[in-house]
Amino acid sequence: MANPNKLSRFWQELKRRKVLPFLIGYVAACFAILGFLLDSADIFSVPENTLKLLYILSAICIPVVIILPWIINRKKPITETEETSSRETPSEEGAAAKHNLPAQLTTFIGREKEMQTVKDLLSEHRLVTLTGAGGCGKTRLAIEVAAQLVPVFEDGVWFVDLAPISNESRVVREISEALNIPEAPDKSLVDTIIETVREKKLMILLDNCEHLLKTCAELTGQLIQSTSHLKILATSRESMGITGEQVWRVPSLTLLDPKAIIDLESVRKSEAVMLFQDRARLNNPEFELETENVSEVATICSKVDGIPLAVELVASRIKYLDPKMILDRFADRFEKVTSSDPRTSKRCL
């Protein structure tokens, strides 16, 4: 029995090389010419043998008409994206990419150990929830892990941002839109999603579940129980508390002990200091870690407990202040920066 995927690709190639329009045009022209000759055979005294010969030639030329456009248009081979478009999304219509992960505008610093841990957890569990205080880097870590796992999931990795959602009834719709699954008549949207992804190998990244925890817990439970290969990576300040959920708390970035002797070589051991340096350069391209300021930078990172968002906020001040000035000016505020609410952190600095 023919492979449906091969037949589908062959059909797409026929259309791309414009074989069908050539063939249809040729057949239409043959019918028109032969019809005209039949109608006017008596007028022009066309011999019957000539008409038979035209029928034979018309039939013989059909393979030529098929092969000619196939050869002419061979220089534009089907791309890998086009070949796999029918299987790259969980919906029947398909899409151009195997993921919808948001593009990141800044460099991802460190976290190699953490990324490997999350990938190991996903290999063993179908629902993994990354927890931690606001600003600890749950979302960025999840996106980086998901990006590396795109080749693993044949039917894609799909990002669902729940941060702007306040109505719990919108959660299932956000998932369906991310997966490009339309509503079906006389069927609930949840059932439609389950039916569509039941046997597909894909991952959903549910981001910022904490304010919709009950709905997310119920929905993820239904999806996991009703499908075979679906995996869900979630981020939330709290766990969902459902059966089968593997919870992992995202740690802060690695730090240097400000009381120890710090040199430029030891900077590589601190993800927080490396993040500070990278974000500081975004605001002041002339900024460099030097022997004179590395101790202050390490102290700043330690004061904010290595929380990524807090480090980035403080580093943005390099546009106006040097590390020592930041320490002097905000010494009484650093304790507030570690607030679990990132919006409070912004106000503090």
Side-chain angles (χ1 to χ4, degrees):
M1 185 175 180
N3 188 322
N5 287 336
K6 290 183 178 179
L7 289 175
S8 177
R9 289 196 294 271
F10 179 68
W11 176 252
Q12 293 296 327
E13 188 71 356
L14 282 177
K15 292 195 293 184
R16 188 192 68 78
R17 299 198 188 197
K18 298 181 174 60
V19 172
L20 297 180
F22 269 76
L23 181 60
I24 293 171
Y26 173 76
V27 172
C30 285
F31 272 109
I33 293 171
L34 291 172
F36 172 78
L37 291 175
L38 285 173
D39 292 339
S40 57
D42 295 335
I43 300 174
F44 295 102
S45 301
V46 179
E48 186 176 345
N49 288 337
T50 301
L51 291 175
K52 288 181 180 181
L53 180 61
L54 287 174
Y55 279 118
I56 294 171
L57 289 174
S58 298
I60 291 175
C61 288
I62 288 178
V64 177
V65 174
I66 294 174
I67 294 171
L68 189 61
W70 182 274
I71 294 175
I72 292 174
N73 297 312
R74 72 183 184 279
K75 293 184 179 180
K76 297 179 179 179
I78 279 185
T79 64
E80 183 179 351
T81 300
E82 291 170 334
E83 286 181 350
T84 57
S85 63
S86 63
R87 60 181 173 84
E88 286 181 340
T89 69
S91 69
E92 293 299 323
E93 295 180 358
K98 289 183 69 174
H99 70 85
N100 66 338
L101 297 172
Q104 301 303 304
L105 304 180
T106 54
T107 307
F108 185 70
I109 304 294
R111 298 289 204 184
E112 288 84 2
K113 181 180 178 181
E114 288 82 357
M115 285 195 292
Q116 188 58 54
T117 298
V118 177
K119 286 191 282 188
D120 290 343
L121 291 173
L122 282 167
S123 68
E124 299 174 5
H125 306 276
R126 295 184 59 203
L127 171 59
V128 175
T129 301
L130 307 185
T131 64
C136 73
K138 300 184 294 296
T139 295
R140 187 65 187 269
L141 176 61
I143 291 174
E144 293 297 326
V145 170
Q148 292 189 10
L149 291 178
V150 169
V152 175
F153 293 93
E154 297 175 4
D155 298 294
V157 173
W158 308 99
F159 178 80
V160 183
D161 183 13
L162 298 178
I165 306 303
S166 57
N167 189 338
E168 298 202 2
S169 63
R170 283 285 308 174
V171 175
V172 65
R173 189 167 298 280
E174 290 296 317
I175 294 176
S176 70
E177 290 177 359
L179 298 177
N180 194 25
I181 298 176
E183 290 188 70
D186 303 322
K187 188 182 298 184
S188 72
L189 193 50
V190 175
D191 290 339
T192 302
I193 294 173
I194 290 173
E195 184 177 309
T196 305
V197 306
R198 192 183 302 277
E199 299 298 330
K200 293 187 178 291
K201 188 177 181 182
L202 60 90
M203 185 174 80
I204 297 174
L205 199 174
L206 283 180
D207 189 40
N208 293 300
C209 300
E210 56 273 351
H211 60 300
L212 304 163
L213 212 54
K214 182 180 178 181
T215 300
C216 288
E218 293 175 354
L219 188 53
T220 53
Q222 283 182 275
L223 291 173
I224 293 297
Q225 292 173 20
S226 305
T227 58
S228 302
H229 308 292
L230 170 67
K231 295 207 175 189
I232 296 177
L233 176 61
T235 71
S236 176
R237 297 187 191 182
E238 303 176 55
S239 65
M240 297 185 195
I242 61 176
T243 303
E245 178 187 28
Q246 176 63 51
V247 181
W248 189 72
R249 188 171 183 83
V250 177
S252 297
L253 298 172
T254 55
L255 297 165
L256 293 174
D257 183 0
K259 296 179 181 179
I261 298 176
I262 301 174
D263 55 35
L264 292 177
E265 290 299 321
S266 62
V267 166
R268 299 181 183 276
K269 300 177 183 178
S270 172
E271 295 170 339
V273 173
M274 295 297 290
L275 177 65
F276 183 99
Q277 177 182 239
D278 183 82
R279 301 304 189 258
R281 285 177 175 172
L282 289 178
N283 292 277
N284 181 2
E286 296 181 0
F287 174 78
E288 292 289 346
L289 274 178
E290 301 171 336
T291 305
E292 293 75 17
N293 65 18
V294 66
S295 180
E296 283 85 1
V297 171
T299 301
I300 291 171
C301 294
S302 181
K303 290 282 187 181
V304 298
D305 293 338
I307 297 174
L309 177 61
V311 172
E312 292 189 359
L313 290 172
V314 180
S316 68
R317 298 286 176 162
I318 289 296
K319 187 174 183 178
Y320 310 102
L321 307 168
D322 62 37
K324 188 176 186 306
M325 294 172 65
I326 291 175
L327 270 177
D328 294 340
R329 181 168 297 190
F330 298 106
D332 59 336
R333 302 187 188 183
F334 278 124
E335 290 185 4
K336 297 178 183 179
V337 175
T338 57
S339 165
S340 62
D341 187 344
R343 291 170 295 183
T344 302
S345 300
K346 290 184 181 180
R347 289 198 297 270
C348 290
L349 293 177

